[in-house]
């Protein structure tokens, strides 16, 4: 069951301050020329894969004022009912709700981030918030506990002058599925949708995958069962399915989506943020 709660704890402010010189990333106004290193995937890693057959009817969760934002649950913890909301496409405050009732009642606590986030593509996974640091090609891993980790900032790709998905005003979109953590970003200057497979523990990139799908045709995207699904510009259909584990894709039908699109593999629902409505859709897989 999703959305069943527990006791909250604050994210700590222990992140990247001491690590600036090590993993600074680029200031995103100045693109540079570093090349993407493709690494072979670890043959010992067991991947899970299945294809979507159809997507069910939307269920509206709540209506908020902002047109942009992200709503999140911990994609690593089935029993955690908490819901986090990052309003707008930039800010440094995350609202934490104990459960769905707290969301409906507007009863929340706030988490202040050391750096502002950018976009609507954040994710929470195993007690850590992953988000793009504003103005940098850096994904930050903000953990809830106080323990300092040697590396909490990951520089991915090059600074792009173009959004990954223009309607969500995001340069990165972070996804979690049965296989772990993925970061979608744009290659620059050729502007294709790329996916980095990220090791959660070491917080490092295992592989960079070029989906060969041009940004100009992409509406939004999510990862489910080892497959990347990219919607068309009107968010009406899945226009492209790319096998991140390398086998052929197929089409599925989708519903209109605006700012945010994220798949919750724990309860097999898509989460969206559409004109301020927080909505979820059940996803049915081919068996
Ligand atoms: C998962 O969430 C529940 C409820 O908040 C919590 O009690 C439990 O410690 C969490 N599990 C992990 C591994 O963090
Ligand atoms: C708000 O949530 C807290 C727990 O986070 C709870 O103790 C408090 O009673 C709630 N307040 C209202 C008005 O529901
Ligand atoms: C990605 O693939 C496209 C299409 O094959 C190609 O034009 C582009 O140069 C590739 N980009 C990178 C960074 O590999
Ligand atoms: C996927 O969609 C494209 C374009 O709409 C269509 O040409 C193709 O036949 C579809 N493929 C499958 C497997 O349904």
């Amino acid at each position: 069951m999703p959305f069943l709660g527990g006791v909250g704890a604050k994210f700590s402010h222990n992140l990247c301050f001491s690590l600036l010189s090590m993993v600074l990333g680029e200031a995103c106004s100045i693109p540079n020329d570093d090349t993407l290193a493709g690494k072979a995937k670890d043959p010992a890693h067991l991947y899970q894969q299945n294809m979507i057959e159809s997507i069910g009817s939307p269920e509206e969760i709540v209506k908020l004022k902002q047109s942009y934002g992200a709503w999140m649950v911990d994609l690593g913890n089935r029993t955690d009912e908490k819901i986090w909301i990052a309003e707008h496409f930039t800010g440094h405050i995350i609202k934490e709700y104990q459960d769905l009732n707290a969301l409906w009642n507007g009863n929340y606590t706030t988490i202040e981030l050391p750096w502002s986030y950018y976009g609507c593509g954040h994710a929470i996974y195993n007690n850590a918030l992953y988000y793009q640091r504003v103005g940098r090609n850096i994904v930050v891993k903000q953990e809830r506990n106080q323990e300092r980790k040697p590396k909490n900032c990951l520089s991915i790709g090059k600074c792009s002058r173009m959004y990954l998905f223009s309607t969500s005003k995001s340069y990165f979109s972070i996804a979690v599925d049965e296989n772990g953590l993925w970061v979608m970003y744009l290659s620059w200057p050729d502007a294709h949708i790329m996916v980095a497979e990220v090791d959660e523990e070491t917080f490092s990139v295992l592989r960079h995958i070029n989906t060969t799908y041009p940004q100009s045709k992409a509406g939004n995207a999510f990862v489910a069962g080892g497959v990347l699904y990219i919607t068309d510009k009107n968010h009406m259909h899945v226009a492209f399915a790319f096998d991140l584990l390398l086998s052929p894709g197929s089409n599925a039908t989708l519903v209109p989506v605006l700012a945010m699109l994220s798949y919750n593999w724990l309860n097999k629902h898509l989460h969206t943020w559409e004109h301020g409505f927080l909505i979820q859709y059940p996803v049915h897989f081919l068996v």
Side-chain angles (χ1 to χ4, degrees), residues 165 167-168 218-222 229-232 235 257-261:
F165 307 122
T167 54
S168 68
N220 209 317
F222 63 95
Y229 297 89
I230 302 179
T231 70
D232 64 19
H235 305 96
V257 163
L258 265 188
M260 166 217 164
L261 180 60

Side-chain angles (χ1 to χ4, degrees), residues 26-269:
E26 298 168 55
C28 282
S29 48
I30 313 161
N32 76 7
D33 280 333
D34 54 357
T35 49
L36 297 161
K39 274 196 213 159
K41 93 182 139 177
D42 176 4
H45 189 118
L46 290 176
Y47 291 99
Q48 277 190 47
Q49 184 160 45
N50 34 39
M51 290 295 300
I52 289 176
E53 182 182 35
S54 64
I55 291 163
S57 310
E59 297 162 38
E60 186 190 315
I61 306 291
V62 73
K63 165 85 175 117
L64 299 179
K65 285 187 225 99
Q66 298 277 2
S67 298
Y68 290 93
W71 67 284
M72 297 164 279
V73 297
D74 190 327
L75 295 172
N77 188 341
R78 226 173 265 279
T79 59
D80 197 338
E81 300 167 28
K82 287 193 280 297
I83 296 165
W84 291 268
I85 291 188
E87 284 174 314
H88 204 53
F89 48 81
T90 187
H92 68 288
I93 302 287
I94 307 284
K95 290 179 178 171
E96 180 180 295
Y97 299 84
Q98 286 305 305
D99 53 25
L100 204 46
N101 276 321
L103 178 61
W104 288 328
N105 295 332
N107 182 11
Y108 61 88
T109 54
T110 57
I111 294 161
E112 200 169 330
L113 301 174
W115 286 309
S116 290
Y117 56 80
Y118 200 86
C120 304
H122 340 292
I124 293 189
Y125 185 41
N126 291 333
N127 289 315
L129 168 71
Y130 294 85
Y131 68 98
Q132 185 200 353
R133 181 182 160 184
V134 69
R136 303 274 165 165
N137 61 326
I138 287 179
V139 174
V140 177
K141 177 180 183 179
Q142 175 84 53
E143 290 181 277
R144 287 166 75 78
N145 61 38
Q146 286 73 42
E147 206 180 310
R148 243 173 223 278
K149 285 271 174 74
K151 196 180 173 196
N152 295 80
C153 299
L154 185 58
S155 175
I156 295 185
K158 303 177 194 180
C159 284
S160 164
R161 297 213 184 99
M162 208 187 268
Y163 290 124
L164 174 63
F165 307 122
S166 47
T167 54
S168 68
K169 297 197 188 296
S170 302
Y171 295 102
F172 290 92
S173 180
I174 296 140
V176 175
D177 77 346
E178 295 81 349
N179 303 291
L181 196 58
W182 308 91
V183 178
M184 295 170 242
Y185 65 99
L186 205 58
S187 60
W188 189 256
D190 59 275
H192 290 84
I193 307 290
M194 303 285 295
V195 179
E197 181 180 4
V198 174
D199 184 285
E200 183 201 0
E201 287 301 312
T202 59
F203 199 40
S204 58
V205 175
L206 299 172
R207 292 188 292 153
H208 290 280
I209 302 159
N210 183 352
T211 70
T212 70
Y213 197 79
Q215 186 272 0
S216 57
K217 292 189 188 168
N220 209 317
F222 63 95
V223 178
V227 178
L228 173 76
Y229 297 89
I230 302 179
T231 70
D232 64 19
K233 279 286 192 198
N234 299 322
H235 305 96
M236 293 301 290
H237 293 97
V238 168
F240 185 74
F242 185 89
D243 187 353
L244 296 169
L245 315 177
L246 307 173
S247 62
S250 78
N251 301 341
T253 311
L254 204 71
V255 281
V257 163
L258 265 188
M260 166 217 164
L261 180 60
S262 163
Y263 173 63
N264 179 349
W265 70 280
L266 296 174
N267 68 2
K268 300 198 173 7
H269 277 72

